[in-house]
Amino acid sequence: MSTTLLQALLSGIASGAVYGLIALGLSLQFGVMKIINFAHGSFLMMAMYVSLALAQRAGLHPLVTAPFTALVLFIVGYAVQRWLIDAIYRKETAREPIGVLIFSTGLWIFMDYGFLALVGPDSHTVDSPWANDVLMTGDLIFTYPQIAGLVVACAITAGLAAFLRHTRTGRAIRATGQDREAASVLGIDSARIYQLSFAIGLGVLGVAGALLLPLYPVNPFVGDIFGLRAFVIVVLGGIGSVAGAFWGGIIVGVLESVGSQLIPVTYAEALIFVLFLAVMYFRPSGLFGVENE
C-alpha cells in the first residue's frame, strides 16, 4: 500500500505541475487584465491539435513541437487581444468589462463546435513510441511524458517568474496588474501590456498543450475539463501569482491522484471542489495570495 501511495503521490506531482502550467496563463491574464477568459480550455484544445498536426504531418517529436505550438498560440493570443478584446475594452472604459466575459464565453462555444465541424468528434492520439516509454525505479514506474512534463513545467514557471521580476517588460506587466492608472502615469502603455500578457498566457498554454498530447487523446472538447481545473487552481493559488498557480496545480494533482487511491474517483474529484469552496470562503485571496487590508 505504501508503494502504491508513493506512486500516486509522485504521479500527482508530475501531473499537477502541468496543471499549474495550464493555470499559469489564466492567472497572468486574470491578474493583469482583471478578466476571466472562459475560452482558456478551448485554446488548450487548439494547442493540442497544433502539436498533433506538427507531430503527424511534419514528423516532429511530440516534445519538439512545444516551442512551435507556443509560437502559434502566442500569435493567436496577440491577435485576439489586439483585434477583438481591445475593441470591447475601449467601449467599456467607464465600467468593468462585462462584455469581455460574454465574448470569451461565446468564443469558447464557437471554438469547441468549430473544431468539431472541422475535424469531427473522433479522439486522436500521437503515434510515437516515446509516449509509451517508461522509467522504472524499484517498484515505481514513470512514463517519459510524465517526467518531461514535470521538468518542462518547472522550467517554464521559473523562467516566467524571473521574467516578470527581473526584466523591464516584466516589471511593467506587474505594475499594470497592480494599478493600471498609476502605471499609465509612469508612461506604461496599458494596451500594449494587455496584448503582451494575453499572448504570453496563451504561449505558455501552447507548451502545456504539447506536454499533454502524449498523455491524453485529443478531441474538440478535451480542453473543457482542463479549463475548469485551471479556474480552480487560480483561485487556490491566488490570482496573478505565478508561484501560486504552480503550487495550486500540485495540490490539485496530488488530491486527484492520491485521493483516487483512498476513496472512489468521483469523490476524489468532489474533494477538489470542496477545497475550492473552502478557500473561496475562508481565504478569497488564495492560499498563496496576499490579503488586501
Side-chain angles (χ1 to χ4, degrees):
M1 177 61 70
S2 60
T3 301
T4 301
L5 289 179
L6 180 59
Q7 175 79 65
L9 173 64
L10 296 177
S11 296
I13 292 173
S15 60
V18 179
Y19 290 166
L21 194 63
I22 296 170
L24 187 56
L26 184 64
S27 182
L28 180 64
Q29 295 165 359
F30 205 170
V32 175
M33 302 169 61
K34 314 304 181 193
I35 65 168
I36 303 174
N37 176 20
F38 285 112
H40 195 70
S42 298
F43 283 114
L44 176 65
M45 174 268 295
M46 173 188 284
M48 294 179 73
Y49 271 113
V50 170
S51 289
L52 180 66
L54 290 171
Q56 290 183 339
R57 299 183 182 181
L60 296 181
H61 188 284
L63 199 57
V64 176
T65 66
F68 299 102
T69 304
L71 178 60
V72 171
L73 267 290
F74 181 93
I75 294 171
V76 169
Y78 189 91
V80 168
Q81 174 64 31
R82 172 66 180 86
W83 301 109
L84 298 176
I85 296 179
D86 268 0
I88 300 174
Y89 264 118
R90 288 195 295 271
K91 294 177 181 178
E92 298 192 344
T93 54
R95 59 184 187 276
E96 292 297 321
I98 302 301
V100 176
L101 304 183
I102 300 172
F103 168 78
S104 68
T105 303
L107 185 60
W108 165 25
I109 298 171
F110 172 80
M111 289 180 66
D112 281 7
Y113 285 93
F115 270 83
L116 178 63
L118 287 173
V119 301
D122 296 335
S123 294
H124 301 274
T125 56
V126 65
D127 184 17
S128 172
W130 177 79
N132 299 315
D133 287 342
V134 297
L135 173 67
M136 296 187 65
T137 304
D139 293 329
L140 302 176
I141 302 174
F142 304 98
T143 66
Y144 281 5
Q146 277 183 313
I147 298 170
L150 175 62
V151 173
V152 174
C154 290
I156 294 294
T157 302
L160 183 59
F163 168 77
L164 293 175
R165 183 173 296 274
H166 299 297
T167 68
R168 182 182 180 89
T169 302
R171 289 192 291 268
I173 291 174
R174 292 168 55 207
T176 303
Q178 292 171 2
D179 192 324
R180 177 184 176 182
E181 287 74 20
S184 297
V185 170
L186 295 175
I188 297 175
D189 185 349
S190 60
R192 176 179 172 275
I193 292 299
Y194 282 3
Q195 293 159 12
L196 187 59
S197 299
F198 200 86
I200 291 174
L202 290 198
V204 170
L205 194 64
V207 176
L211 296 177
L212 285 178
L213 181 62
L215 300 171
Y216 294 92
V218 188
N219 63 68
F221 302 101
V222 67
D224 292 352
I225 184 62
F226 291 109
L228 183 60
R229 283 198 181 103
F231 284 110
V232 172
I233 291 167
V234 167
V235 172
L236 288 180
I239 295 171
S241 171
V242 172
F246 178 80
W247 291 113
I250 296 293
I251 291 171
V252 168
V254 169
L255 281 177
E256 180 183 70
S257 183
V258 176
S260 64
Q261 298 297 320
L262 303 175
I263 58 178
V265 175
T266 53
Y267 291 168
E269 289 288 335
L271 184 62
I272 295 172
F273 291 95
V274 169
L275 177 61
F276 166 75
L277 294 174
V279 170
M280 284 288 291
Y281 185 81
F282 292 106
R283 189 175 172 82
S285 64
L287 296 176
F288 305 96
V290 179
E291 294 280 5
N292 293 324
E293 300 293 341

